[in-house]
Every structure is written in structure tokens, then in C-alpha cells.
Amino acid sequence: MHEEQEQPDPLTPEVVDLMAALVGVFHKEYEEAAAARSLTGAQAKVLGLLRRGPMPMRQIAQTLSCEPSNITGIVDRLEARGLVERQPDPEDRRVKRVVTTETGSAATSELRASLNFAREPLAALSGEERLQLRDLLQRMLDHARRQD
Amino acid sequence: MHEEQEQPDPLTPEVVDLMAALVGVFHKEYEEAAAARSLTGAQAKVLGLLRRGPMPMRQIAQTLSCEPSNITGIVDRLEARGLVERQPDPEDRRVKRVVTTETGSAATSELRASLNFAREPLAALSGEERLQLRDLLQRMLDHARRQD
DNA sequence: CGGAAAGGTTAACCTTGTCAAATATTCAGG
DNA sequence: CCTGAATATTTGACAAGGTTAACCTTTCCG
């Protein structure tokens, strides 16, 4: 795939460590924001996926890189709380499309708005620096996605 | 806790989304790298903490922001596999210091080396850009930590 | 038509994580 | 020195997230 070249660049491991630390902060904030609404992180993630419209179980599993049977349980719990509904797909009677209810999408928006992670840390940066950061992250992400 | 100020800056939510995406990529890579060595993410995290030396249970829990009783189980499983040992603290007989064994630290180094996450995405950036990125991340992280 | 393939669920199982209670040790006053 | 409060760890009970294997139902295709 790619050569196991170790980096002559001492900067790379440093940046990796920073990313790791930031991932930790972000993850923690996300869990806390979800917990404040009595949601687990996984439930919040699924709810977040449905922001743009209904999605079949299978696709949820693929997007989150986990087994479909796992999604069954998470959706069960969301449904039990009235945040989500399973509806039959008119095209294919095997598939069930998951849709957020009113309550569900309200919860998602709230959670999203409260995700002030980078509203805090980003406050340390000027407008121009934020622009720089966005571009750098965007390029890394594009690169990462092309790898799949 | 802090005011519910909405940002006049349209860039902030954009950067937050990018961070979220990158966090997802990173997290997934980390889990996979750990799984490749038959470790769970949590086990890998604890093992990684011990890289710089022994650490009492309590401190591990604090660092990972979880209950001490949780660490008991994780260390149990690491110890059962010979990756880690509990040793008594000579200063205070209540505390147990967790130390990695030879095997354990070998595993950590391996895992760390294989964490090519940002070796890949970072390849998209030039040396100077990497430097920029490091500084931006560093400042965000400093800011985030001062918030606690 | 008949069998393979795909979507979803169920059941059994392990790990993470929480909380509450128990044990052992240390520490601070009186 | 003695007692009680505080600290470090463990245990047990429990919920959620995840995996695998087995099982329907429905669709697809030769």
C-alpha cells in the first residue's frame, strides 16, 4: 500500500500527539453534551445522522462502521423514548427507514448548538487563523477520505 | 456555566464540523490499531499512559476522567495478559502503582508506531503548513485546558 | 421455480462505564 | 495514643455498546 518509511520529519509525531489530545477533549465534550440530554454518545451519533433525512438501518451501520445488529439496539432505545421511528420502505419491504420525530430533531438541534467545543478553544484564534485552520483540516480530511 | 452566546462567525461551526470529522477518522484508526494487537481502545489508552512510568490507579482514573472502579477492571485484564503489573507503593500502602512489563511496553511502542493516522493525512501538507497546524492546535489545546 | 443474497432481528457473550457499599490505610485532633 | 474522617482500591449489580452466529423475510437471478 505505502512504504513503511519512518518520517525524517520530527514534526509529524508532535502533530499526531496534539491531534490525539484534541480528540480526547472533543470526545469528552461530546459525551457530556449528550449526557446532559440523557443521551449516550452512540445515541447522539445516530440521531445526528438522521438530521438530513431518513436512513435505512444498514446504512447507519455502515456509516458508523459497526455491525447492523448493534444499530438495532440503539434504535430500539431511541424509539422507546419517542425520538425516532421505524418506517417501512415502500420500495423494498426488507428495509426499515429510521426517521427522527419532532422531539428527536429538536434534541439534535439543541445538542448541536450546545456543542461549544471549538467555540471555546477556537476563541483563542483570530479570524484569519481560523480560516487557515479550516483549510488545513479540509485538506487533511480530503486526503484521508481518498485513502479508503 | 458560560453564556449561550451564538457566534457571529460563520466559520466556527464549519471548523467544528471538520474537527468532528477528523476526530471520527482518528478514533477509528486508533481502535483498529489497538484491535490489531488484540487490545481494546480503553486498554490501549491505559497502556499508553504508562509509557512515562508507573502510575497509581487513582491517577489513571483522573487522567481518563472515569471512575476508579472502572480502571480496576481494565488493569485486571491487562494484568491477566501479562502486559502490566500492580506493585505496592512504598510510601503509602493504600496505593497500587501500575507498571508496564517488557511485553507491555513493546506493545505500546508498536501501537504508537503503527498509528500512521496523521502520517497519511499529514502527507497532504508541506513542512511549513505542518508547522502552522501544530501552532494552531497547540494554542487551541492550551486554551481548552485552561478552561478546566 | 428455487436457491443464493440482502436487510433486519434475536440471543449469548464480553468490555466499558456507572453507582453504592466494603476494606484497608493514612491523617488530624484531642 | 485513640478515634473518626478522609483516601485508595476493590467488589457487586446493573445498563449500554459491540461482536458473532443463527434465524426470518423479502428480493434477485439463472
Side-chain angles (χ1 to χ4, degrees):
Chain A
M1 197 64 77
H2 40 273
E3 59 287 3
E4 271 310 321
Q5 179 72 3
E6 76 300 343
Q7 64 295 330
D9 176 13
L11 209 51
T12 292
E14 200 178 335
V15 176
V16 172
D17 282 347
L18 284 171
M19 287 294 310
L22 222 42
V23 163
V25 173
F26 192 102
H27 195 270
K28 192 176 153 207
E29 268 222 22
Y30 189 81
E31 291 284 337
E32 283 170 359
R37 281 143 194 92
S38 306
L39 289 172
T40 64
Q43 287 164 5
K45 266 191 226 164
V46 169
L47 222 39
L49 275 187
L50 303 175
R51 219 164 22 108
R52 303 290 180 186
M55 195 179 269
M57 304 288 287
R58 190 128 254 279
Q59 195 179 336
I60 298 178
Q62 276 167 346
T63 309
L64 299 186
S65 308
C66 69
E67 298 302 316
S69 62
N70 189 11
I71 302 300
T72 299
I74 296 175
V75 170
D76 280 350
R77 289 180 279 270
L78 287 173
E79 197 168 26
R81 288 180 47 188
L83 299 173
V84 121
E85 272 174 9
R86 282 164 164 103
Q87 61 183 213
D89 183 320
E91 313 258 314
D92 184 337
R93 282 185 299 172
R94 287 174 301 181
V95 353
K96 289 174 189 164
R97 303 187 334 163
V98 188
V99 207
T100 55
T101 61
E102 279 292 329
T103 327
S105 64
T108 319
S109 312
E110 248 186 66
L111 195 149
R112 207 175 146 66
S114 84
L115 242 215
N116 40 14
F117 161 67
R119 183 141 72 219
E120 280 302 337
L122 274 181
L125 307 185
S126 74
E128 187 169 348
E129 289 170 327
R130 253 172 264 199
L131 203 56
Q132 260 180 29
L133 180 61
R134 186 204 53 180
D135 292 341
L136 293 174
L137 294 181
Q138 185 69 68
R139 283 173 48 204
M140 285 176 67
L141 202 53
D142 287 349
H143 189 272
R145 293 218 228 263
R146 262 200 308 280
Q147 297 287 318
D148 298 341
Chain B
M1 195 64 78
H2 38 272
E3 61 286 6
E4 272 308 323
Q5 179 72 3
E6 75 302 339
Q7 65 298 325
D9 176 14
L11 208 51
T12 292
E14 200 178 332
V15 176
V16 173
D17 281 348
L18 283 172
M19 287 292 310
L22 222 41
V23 165
V25 172
F26 192 102
H27 194 270
K28 193 176 154 209
E29 267 221 22
Y30 189 81
E31 291 284 337
E32 283 170 359
R37 283 144 192 91
S38 307
L39 290 171
T40 63
Q43 288 164 4
K45 265 191 226 163
V46 170
L47 222 39
L49 275 188
L50 303 176
R51 221 165 21 106
R52 303 291 181 186
M55 193 178 269
M57 305 287 289
R58 188 125 247 286
Q59 196 180 333
I60 298 179
Q62 277 168 346
T63 309
L64 299 184
S65 307
C66 69
E67 298 302 316
S69 62
N70 189 12
I71 302 300
T72 298
I74 297 175
V75 169
D76 279 351
R77 289 178 278 272
L78 286 174
E79 197 168 25
R81 287 178 48 188
L83 299 173
V84 122
E85 271 174 11
R86 283 165 164 103
Q87 58 183 213
D89 183 320
E91 313 258 317
D92 184 337
R93 280 185 301 173
R94 288 173 300 183
V95 352
K96 288 174 189 163
R97 304 186 333 162
V98 188
V99 208
T100 54
T101 61
E102 278 292 330
T103 327
S105 64
T108 320
S109 313
E110 248 186 67
L111 195 149
R112 204 175 149 65
S114 84
L115 243 215
N116 42 12
F117 161 67
R119 184 142 71 217
E120 280 303 335
L122 274 181
L125 306 185
S126 74
E128 188 169 348
E129 288 169 328
R130 253 173 263 199
L131 202 56
Q132 260 179 29
L133 180 61
R134 186 204 53 180
D135 291 341
L136 293 174
L137 294 182
Q138 186 69 68
R139 283 172 51 203
M140 288 177 65
L141 201 52
D142 287 347
H143 189 273
R145 292 217 228 263
R146 263 199 308 280
Q147 297 288 316
D148 297 342

